[in-house]
Amino acid sequence: MPMTGPVLTRRIPTFPYGDACDRRTVGYDEFARTGGYEALARAVTMEPAAVVDMVKDSSLRGRGGAGFPCGLKWTFLPKNYEGQRYLAVNADESEPGTFKDRLILDYDPHMLLEGIAISCFACRIQTAYIYIRGEYHHQARILEKAIAEAYEKGIFGGRGLLNGAADFKVECYLHRGAGAYICGEETGLLESLEGKRGWPRIKPPFPAVKGLFGKPTIINNVETLCCVPFIVEHGVEWFKSLGCASKIGGPPSFGTKLMGVSGHVQRPGVYECDLGIPLRRLVEEYCGGMRDGKQYKAAIAGGVSMGVLGTDQFDAEMDFDIGRKYEVLGLGTACPTIFDEDTDMVMVARNIARFFKNESCGQCTPCREGSGWMYKLLCRIERGEAKLKDIDLLLELAGSMGAMPGTTICGLADGNNWAVRTIVNKFRGEFEARCRPSFVPVTVGVG
């Protein structure tokens, strides 16, 4: 029977279904006793292609930022290829304001491992690497223990999946990063896994064709892989009953989503909601409303690189259509940061630009030089030393850097320019109030 209630957090007490004070790390025995690895047992009785089709038919979209269809990505692997393949799990949760994957890593690591095992079986992948953020020291230790338990119980290793229930063997390793934001980009992650500097690669070739160590590679986010066992166990139609369809003719936003809310709210935290929940409802019902009774002013919808929702966009639906409907880059990680009426949006823009300037890998000139230039302009505006024409210069500069204008290899510059552009465009009055008028002297010659 399809399950009801929380999905990803069914073992992690979370408001409104439980008290966060009751949380504890779920080990193998408790995980198995509460239905864990049952989806893997079912998956290994199916044809691998059938598992891929299930995930593809469910319209599961990536939960790491881009929202690309997971099952479709799996089909990009070369057909009839008998050599080594890899799964790279992106646990490099370094997007500012994002902490939803950490909830899984802290309290239910075997949920991720089951998703990895099913995905490797479906895609005929022999080796999986979990690339975890360098600052996640505690989470790395929890994952190492969970992986050791999984090997001890025969989930991974030479006996085959589930102690030989399938003769397909999967090895799983944990790789700790060094704290570089750019390694959250999939090809930068692969470079780091290979022991190189985390520089994004030019595409094509894409990782599914030539990825880790030059072999076909699938890269999925932690939360994305955690959805896979539930799709296999409860079916495609059950998954489609959660979330929402697109209202503007785009791909659907099915399933639940972990949303980590921070900022000026009464009860910050991670909440599991159906995709499509209005931001206002998320704040007022789940987070207890705005802090100290102040008014909502703005929100970063899903990580700073996605841009800002304005004061009149408090009712924005948190689904994958948000970018086209509310003039932001996208849903991103769906971890909103909420700002109240006292927030200085010039300072917010300057702080975001400083972050991207520091995290640029420096490989592309427009990003390396442009991010520093944008930061200097915003510092000048914040100090009250800029002229009005500097705002137009800032917007012109932002619009000319990024992968979408075709000037950089990866999307770091896009995150920088979308954050700055949306803040300036939606709160231009605050920027103009900090600038001096621009005067062009005119001289008239007589005789």
Side-chain angles (χ1 to χ4, degrees):
M1 174 181 288
M3 65 183 296
T4 58
V7 181
L8 298 170
T9 58
R10 66 174 180 166
R11 299 182 190 88
I12 308 172
T14 303
F15 181 87
Y17 304 102
D19 188 343
C21 295
D22 297 329
R23 290 175 180 172
R24 65 185 184 282
T25 301
V26 176
Y28 176 88
D29 291 336
E30 182 179 354
F31 183 77
R33 189 171 62 251
T34 55
Y37 292 115
E38 289 182 3
L40 176 60
R42 179 179 179 185
V44 297
T45 65
M46 303 168 60
E47 289 294 321
V51 180
V52 174
D53 288 340
M54 281 191 76
V55 176
K56 185 178 178 181
D57 293 343
S58 72
S59 299
L60 170 64
R61 298 178 66 173
R63 268 50 173 163
F68 193 84
C70 176
L72 180 61
K73 180 186 284 189
W74 291 0
T75 65
F76 293 160
L77 288 168
K79 303 293 188 294
N80 302 319
Y81 177 84
E82 299 298 331
Q84 177 69 278
R85 302 182 181 197
Y86 294 101
L87 171 66
V89 182
N90 189 345
D92 189 74
E93 194 174 43
S94 49
E95 180 74 19
T98 299
F99 47 93
K100 45 94 179 175
D101 288 345
R102 189 174 69 182
L103 185 76
I104 296 170
L105 302 178
D106 268 330
Y107 300 110
D108 202 357
H110 281 279
M111 181 165 59
L112 170 61
L113 299 185
E114 184 175 21
I116 290 172
I118 294 173
S119 303
C120 287
F121 173 78
C123 298
R124 316 313 286 165
I125 292 173
Q126 301 93 335
T127 306
Y129 288 98
I130 304 172
Y131 187 97
I132 191 169
R133 177 179 177 176
E135 292 87 347
Y136 279 4
H137 308 290
H138 176 67
Q139 291 74 20
R141 289 192 291 270
I142 291 174
L143 263 180
E144 287 279 17
K145 181 178 179 181
I147 291 171
E149 288 180 330
Y151 269 95
E152 180 184 345
K153 301 298 183 179
I155 304 300
F156 301 122
R159 289 171 288 183
L161 288 170
L162 274 180
N163 270 317
D167 59 4
F168 190 78
K169 302 176 180 62
V170 176
E171 305 293 339
C172 182
Y173 305 98
L174 183 70
H175 182 98
R176 297 179 66 176
Y181 173 79
I182 195 63
C183 291
E185 195 275 338
E186 60 178 15
T187 58
L189 184 153
L190 296 180
E191 289 286 293
S192 181
L193 265 177
E194 293 179 1
K196 304 172 187 174
R197 181 175 181 176
W199 271 12
R201 302 173 181 175
I202 296 174
K203 295 176 281 191
F206 292 93
V209 176
K210 185 178 181 182
L212 186 63
F213 306 120
K215 304 297 183 180
T217 304
I218 291 296
I219 305 166
N220 283 136
N221 166 262
V222 168
E223 186 184 354
T224 310
L225 291 173
C226 288
C227 292
V228 171
F230 297 102
I231 294 171
V232 172
E233 185 175 357
H234 301 289
V236 171
E237 294 306 316
W238 165 83
F239 188 78
K240 287 184 174 182
S241 70
L242 307 170
C244 64
S246 173
K247 297 178 181 177
I248 57 175
S253 300
F254 293 140
T256 63
K257 182 77 182 67
L258 296 180
M259 300 186 182
V261 188
S262 59
H264 302 147
V265 294
Q266 293 281 36
R267 187 171 50 239
V270 179
Y271 304 96
E272 184 176 4
C273 312
D274 276 33
L275 279 164
I277 184 174
L279 180 61
R280 182 189 299 272
R281 183 183 165 205
L282 177 62
V283 169
E284 294 181 352
E285 293 187 16
Y286 287 79
C287 303
M290 297 295 295
R291 191 174 64 190
D292 299 330
K294 294 186 178 180
Q295 296 297 309
Y296 162 86
K297 182 175 183 178
I300 295 170
V304 296
S305 60
M306 294 297 107
V308 167
L309 296 169
T311 306
D312 60 343
Q313 297 174 334
F314 196 20
D315 291 303
E317 299 90 355
M318 298 290 289
D319 59 33
F320 289 105
D321 289 337
I322 194 171
R324 293 169 61 185
K325 291 191 292 187
Y326 298 101
E327 298 173 328
V328 292
L329 185 55
L331 181 64
T333 57
C335 290
T337 303
I338 312 298
F339 302 127
D340 67 21
E341 56 191 315
D342 296 332
T343 305
D344 182 349
M345 299 308 295
V346 178
M347 183 184 69
V348 171
R350 186 263 304 155
N351 197 33
I352 291 173
R354 178 189 62 83
F355 170 80
F356 282 110
K357 174 184 73 70
N358 291 340
E359 293 296 336
S360 172
C361 75
Q363 185 175 191
C364 304
T365 303
C367 181
R368 182 182 67 244
E369 302 299 328
S371 59
W373 193 3
M374 288 173 66
Y375 174 64
K376 290 178 182 178
L377 282 170
L378 285 163
C379 286
R380 189 186 304 169
I381 293 171
E382 187 180 27
R383 293 193 303 264
E385 299 173 358
K387 296 181 178 180
L388 286 174
K389 65 180 181 181
D390 288 327
I391 299 177
D392 296 323
L393 178 61
L394 178 66
L395 292 173
E396 180 184 354
L397 176 62
S400 61
M401 55 185 276
M404 285 185 284
T407 60
T408 60
I409 293 173
C410 85
L412 183 141
D414 293 285
N416 191 356
N417 78 58
W418 272 86
V420 171
R421 277 192 296 164
T422 54
I423 295 174
V424 173
N425 288 330
K426 295 178 182 181
F427 297 93
R428 187 173 180 118
E430 292 191 31
F431 288 82
E432 291 180 346
R434 305 282 270 272
C435 297
R436 302 191 303 270
S438 303
F439 294 105
V440 180
V442 177
T443 58
V444 179
V446 179

